[in-house]
Amino acid sequence: MEYRTLGNTGLKLSALSFGASSLGAEFRPVEISEAIASVPAALDVGINFIDTSPFYGRGMSEVLLGPALKGIPRDRYILGTKLGRYDKAHFDFSARRVMESVDVSLHRMGVDYLDICLCHDIEFVEMQQIIDETLPALLKIKQQGKVRFIGVSGYPMKIFKFILDQTNLDVVLSYNHYTLQNTMFGDLVPYLKSKHVGIMNAAPFSARLLTNDPLPPWHKATPEVRRIAKAAADHCASRGTDIAKLALQFSLANPDMTTCVTGSARPERIREWARWADEPIDLTLLAEVQAILKPIHNWFYIEGRPENNDPQPGAGHASHSCG
């Protein structure tokens, strides 16, 4: 497993990280014993960063991490959670809730401190509140030693410039934006580096779009996006491989992305991903798949408040419109 330094934090994160949203049954029902076993399985293959949120499973992910981490030395893993989003439409970025949320997360997971705490999906709210109220409250908690490093996470690229143009952060996390299909987060790297912020990427499979698994019912991919992604997956299958393997290897290959967060509640799947991470990428197949995906390259959907989103491409690019 390769390890990379996260911005100026001094943390060395495994290139592949464990996304504990899977423990919250966000994609499928999970068997609790299997879900708990996925955590030591991740640590055993060299993964050292665990990413979660009180939103995942509406608390279930953090609750299951408690027994999963019990007895494991605290210095064996780097732990990150989030705050501000607690249900599909329940957001609270108030200073009071910041204090409560961190304490609840610590209690659920049975730890004394968080390595990273992020404001979760800030595109759903008036983002100036994050600057004026949320981050100052989180900074106080950082000074108390309950959190080591702070940042924001979300889907649109626009949110990162909005925040970083006004204040300093330790880290940022984006999802679905550095994949075989969408590399907009990669385009933002020069700006992020100029702000000396740690860069974390999540969801190399774009919520199963770049796999052979069925999409979750909440997926926003348009019929055209689904059709082209399936064509890419079928092409990989014709070459005797899985598009998920190529997708993971592509997202891991960029050293500017300190880590790539993806999760499963199946230990055998995690071990498979670790094997894929160690294998060389098939550059010929990569070029072929990128050519297939070109009509939907950088397609994205609207998430949160419209004004917090990136501008949609102009006329003549209907395939990039909101799903």
Side-chain angles (χ1 to χ4, degrees), residues 169-223:
L169 296 175
D170 299 313
V171 295
V172 294
L173 183 147
S174 181
Y175 66 95
N176 290 0
H177 269 101
Y178 192 77
T179 72
L180 281 173
Q181 178 269 320
N182 185 321
T183 54
M184 292 170 68
F185 199 37
D187 297 337
L188 198 63
V189 163
Y191 170 82
L192 295 174
K193 283 187 169 182
S194 76
K195 298 296 182 178
H196 308 290
V197 67
I199 304 170
M200 299 188 291
N201 176 45
F205 309 121
S206 196
R208 291 187 172 181
L209 182 67
L210 302 172
T211 73
N212 290 300
D213 294 326
L215 296 186
W218 42 260
H219 207 291
K220 293 186 177 182
T222 65

Side-chain angles (χ1 to χ4, degrees), residues 86-295:
Y86 303 99
D87 210 333
K88 186 175 181 181
H90 178 197
F91 295 86
D92 187 346
F93 287 99
S94 66
R96 177 178 176 181
R97 190 60 187 266
V98 167
M99 306 282 188
E100 294 172 348
S101 191
V102 169
D103 285 341
V104 168
S105 293
L106 292 173
H107 176 75
R108 284 172 172 169
M109 294 187 284
V111 294
D112 295 326
Y113 66 92
L114 301 168
D115 294 289
I116 296 170
C117 190
L118 305 175
C119 302
H120 194 181
D121 291 347
I122 63 172
E123 65 268 24
F124 283 86
V125 299
E126 171 51 60
M127 290 195 298
Q128 194 60 42
Q129 183 191 15
I130 307 300
I131 294 289
D132 296 339
E133 183 176 0
T134 315
L135 287 171
L138 196 47
L139 189 59
K140 288 182 181 178
I141 293 175
K142 179 181 178 180
Q143 292 164 349
Q144 293 169 4
K146 292 181 180 180
V147 171
R148 296 177 66 194
F149 302 105
I150 64 175
V152 300
S153 73
Y155 181 73
M157 297 296 94
K158 183 178 179 179
I159 67 174
F160 302 111
K161 284 191 175 183
F162 181 90
I163 299 295
L164 288 167
D165 280 349
Q166 298 184 66
T167 192
N168 296 319
L169 296 175
D170 299 313
V171 295
V172 294
L173 183 147
S174 181
Y175 66 95
N176 290 0
H177 269 101
Y178 192 77
T179 72
L180 281 173
Q181 178 269 320
N182 185 321
T183 54
M184 292 170 68
F185 199 37
D187 297 337
L188 198 63
V189 163
Y191 170 82
L192 295 174
K193 283 187 169 182
S194 76
K195 298 296 182 178
H196 308 290
V197 67
I199 304 170
M200 299 188 291
N201 176 45
F205 309 121
S206 196
R208 291 187 172 181
L209 182 67
L210 302 172
T211 73
N212 290 300
D213 294 326
L215 296 186
W218 42 260
H219 207 291
K220 293 186 177 182
T222 65
E224 182 187 12
V225 170
R226 292 169 189 245
R227 177 183 63 78
I228 292 174
K230 186 180 186 304
D234 290 346
H235 181 74
C236 289
S238 74
R239 294 289 192 270
T241 190
D242 188 333
I243 191 172
K245 178 178 180 178
L246 188 70
L248 183 69
Q249 291 177 328
F250 174 81
S251 292
L252 288 172
N254 187 340
D256 289 325
M257 304 292 157
T258 302
T259 194
C260 180
V261 180
T262 187
S264 174
R266 292 191 179 104
E268 68 276 9
R269 180 66 60 87
I270 294 164
R271 287 188 280 266
E272 180 179 50
W273 289 340
R275 289 194 297 271
W276 289 351
D278 285 339
E279 295 176 13
I281 192 167
D282 184 334
L283 294 176
T284 300
L285 179 63
L286 173 62
E288 292 168 352
V289 167
Q290 287 177 321
I292 294 170
L293 293 173
K294 188 175 181 180

Side-chain angles (χ1 to χ4, degrees), residues 52-98:
T52 188
S53 168
F55 172 62
Y56 302 147
R58 316 312 173 256
M60 188 166 83
S61 175
E62 289 186 336
V63 167
L64 290 182
L65 277 172
L69 293 171
K70 192 172 183 180
I72 298 174
R74 185 63 180 85
D75 60 1
R76 274 203 68 195
Y77 58 89
I78 296 166
L79 183 61
T81 193
K82 307 179 185 75
L83 54 78
R85 185 172 196 180
Y86 303 99
D87 210 333
K88 186 175 181 181
H90 178 197
F91 295 86
D92 187 346
F93 287 99
S94 66
R96 177 178 176 181
R97 190 60 187 266
V98 167

